[in-house]
Amino acid sequence: MLETGRQVLAHVDMDAFYAAVERLDRPQLAGVPIIVGGGKRGVVSAASYEARRFGVRSAMPMYEARSRCPQGVFLPPRMERYHQVSRKVMKVLAGFSPLLEPVSVDEAYLDLSGTERLWGPPRQAGLAIKQAVLTATGLTCSVGIAPVRFLAKIASDRDKPDGLTVVDDLEVFLATVSLKEVPGVGARARQRLGQMGLTRLVEIRELGGERLERLMGVFGLRLWELAWGRDESGVNPQREVKSISNELTLEADTGNREVLAAYLSGLSQKVARRLRRKGLCGRTVTLKLKHRDHRLVTRSTTLAQATDAAGDIFTAARGLLDAYGAPGPFRLIGVGLSHLSAPGQGQAELFGAEKTGRDKALGRAEDAIVARFGEKAITRATQIPASEAPLDQEASKGHNKVKPK
Ligand SMILES: [Mg+2]
């Protein structure tokens, strides 16, 4: 059975994310306006919905926010904590589809096409996503689901907070979209189009693509396409992982080899688990040590055979530790694996590229099952883009600074 239904794309956006995390960590702030911001730029990073009622908005100078909402609680951003929660959110989302594209710490696109058998029709899937995020994090999100990417984004913003908007009829929904909502249409463009009496997206159809191009350059052409509900961008799943590593800042600096080895053992297990979760094996083991004076050293060795076993990783890392002469003390220790590949042919056959003769939608549903339930194997290893990479202990990097031994 070949089902070539239209695309089902979801945009998931956490509600007032930084402020919501602060409230989560400080339940006594229930109902209180929370404004997160300050720092170098001195502007509001996030405002709770209570604070928004006083006219506080993102990117507003903090002094203005203070004068509009003097009773608010003003907090500095804690990015590490937000990234930690973000990782939980993305993990939940990855359980719904392997085609996940995080676009910021609190926002992601998901391609749900072909997952209907798993999650039901779009509205049901949207509710399930919201519930799963709430259960895992205690936070609400807003979801937009549409056949094209830019409308999923607009839809997720329609019913905030804790919203769900499903675009069933493209043409009906398009008619409701104002130019203000369209990503990329700036104030100047809006002004120019406004002077022609155009405020809604569908109204610019009458201008024609060429005229729009003359008016606005290449973006004019894109806007013309959007006005007809055409948007080929889809969801771009995350980049391939090139290395998997875990590291740990020690509670107390130490040069004691046995203590360091014990840490290495735990880290090796973590790395091995993550490898298996992604269905990968690696050949190059890298030990990372940070001296008390923050001098960073790495030492690597390449195994005869790729592995995803904690014992192999630990043995290699321990060997590197023993071979490194400096006594320390060290403040951080880490272990990583690179030169990753899919493991033995068996699993590759099950989930690999040889899906010939299989219905694509079914393949995707399988990927989703594996992503949700499977510890075993997924072919497409993924990670959060480097810009959103977690700032704390767990790191997947596109490139590994490996010093040849
Ligand atoms: Mg948000």
Side-chain angles (χ1 to χ4, degrees):
M1 182 194 78
L2 273 159
E3 230 240 49
T4 51
R6 61 179 190 172
Q7 297 253 94
V8 182
L9 306 183
H11 180 253
V12 180
D13 189 17
M14 300 302 291
D15 299 321
F17 184 57
Y18 297 177
V21 173
E22 295 302 341
R23 172 159 302 145
L24 188 72
D25 292 349
R26 299 171 172 82
Q28 68 272 24
L29 295 183
V32 176
I34 300 175
I35 296 106
V36 178
K40 278 176 211 146
R41 292 185 301 147
V43 297
V44 174
S45 304
S48 72
Y49 285 88
E50 291 85 352
R52 291 181 198 198
R53 255 174 247 134
F54 292 88
V56 178
R57 296 282 179 272
S58 288
M60 174 181 280
M62 282 298 264
Y63 68 83
E64 191 182 340
R66 279 179 208 279
S67 77
R68 281 182 189 238
C69 187
Q71 64 274 65
V73 171
F74 292 78
L75 299 167
R78 293 183 299 146
M79 291 313 296
E80 283 203 25
R81 174 68 179 136
Y82 308 148
H83 278 284
Q84 196 180 34
V85 179
S86 174
R87 260 203 323 277
K88 271 197 204 169
V89 172
M90 297 307 167
K91 203 174 154 192
V92 168
L93 299 184
F96 283 87
S97 165
L99 300 182
L100 167 70
E101 181 188 348
V103 286
S104 79
V105 70
D106 76 327
E107 229 180 287
Y109 289 94
L110 261 180
D111 189 341
L112 295 171
S113 315
T115 66
E116 189 145 328
R117 247 175 273 159
L118 280 171
W119 315 119
R123 183 165 299 278
Q124 201 178 316
L127 287 171
I129 289 170
K130 284 161 58 65
Q131 186 57 53
V133 169
L134 182 66
T135 305
T137 64
L139 299 174
T140 62
C141 61
S142 295
V143 177
I145 302 179
V148 288
R149 178 177 167 121
F150 88 105
L151 290 182
K153 165 119 176 128
I154 290 172
S156 75
D157 208 37
R158 280 287 176 92
D159 190 25
K160 268 187 158 297
D162 201 10
L164 173 62
T165 301
V166 177
V167 177
D168 291 314
D169 188 319
L170 191 71
E171 197 55 32
V172 168
F173 187 82
L174 269 176
T176 70
V177 174
S178 80
L179 285 166
K180 213 170 159 174
E181 291 178 287
V182 180
V185 181
R188 251 185 53 210
R190 243 173 27 236
Q191 198 190 2
R192 212 179 310 166
L193 294 167
Q195 282 162 357
M196 291 184 259
L198 309 172
T199 56
R200 289 182 310 133
L201 180 60
V202 287
E203 288 168 349
I204 65 163
R205 287 177 181 176
E206 60 206 53
L207 286 181
E210 281 174 31
R211 189 141 170 236
L212 272 166
E213 191 182 11
R214 271 203 308 279
L215 276 170
M216 307 171 76
V218 183
F219 185 71
L221 271 182
R222 158 121 177 116
L223 198 55
W224 162 254
E225 292 290 320
L226 297 184
W228 293 96
R230 294 193 288 259
D231 178 11
E232 299 298 321
S233 19
V235 171
N236 308 303
Q238 304 149 318
R239 285 169 289 163
E240 204 179 317
V241 173
K242 295 203 177 127
S243 78
I244 287 183
S245 62
N246 277 75
E247 61 189 50
L248 192 65
T249 301
L250 306 180
E251 275 174 39
D253 298 355
T254 182
N256 183 314
R257 299 284 146 157
E258 290 314 308
V259 173
L260 292 170
Y263 282 128
L264 269 189
S265 167
L267 290 167
S268 301
Q269 282 169 32
K270 269 193 189 167
V271 168
R273 250 196 320 271
R274 290 174 64 205
L275 281 167
R276 288 195 297 269
R277 207 154 61 209
K278 291 172 188 294
L280 293 171
C281 285
R283 276 191 71 192
T284 301
V285 178
T286 300
L287 168 75
K288 183 172 170 184
L289 288 167
K290 200 185 257 180
H291 285 263
R292 179 171 274 170
D293 62 4
H294 289 259
R295 200 157 33 91
L296 189 69
V297 290
T298 58
R299 291 291 182 270
S300 298
T301 184
T302 296
L303 307 171
Q305 260 193 328
T307 186
D308 62 359
D312 295 342
I313 299 167
F314 172 69
T315 306
R318 173 84 212 238
L320 292 167
L321 175 66
D322 290 342
Y324 184 60
F330 305 101
R331 64 191 319 272
L332 174 146
I333 188 164
V335 64
L337 232 71
S338 53
H339 292 133
L340 304 180
S341 56
Q345 290 306 307
Q347 283 171 327
E349 263 164 33
L350 267 179
F351 298 106
E354 296 99 17
K355 273 189 197 146
T356 41
R358 273 203 229 172
D359 163 17
K360 211 175 166 190
L362 186 61
R364 271 196 194 166
E366 271 174 11
D367 285 349
I369 292 171
V370 172
R372 190 183 181 206
F373 304 107
E375 290 284 309
K376 290 248 164 64
I378 47 170
T379 49
R380 211 189 323 262
T382 56
Q383 71 160 339
I384 296 174
S387 57
E388 280 98 45
L391 299 175
D392 57 349
Q393 318 264 317
E394 207 168 80
S396 296
K397 286 174 194 151
H399 295 284
N400 209 1
K401 282 175 206 147
V402 175
K403 233 189 224 168
K405 199 184 162 188

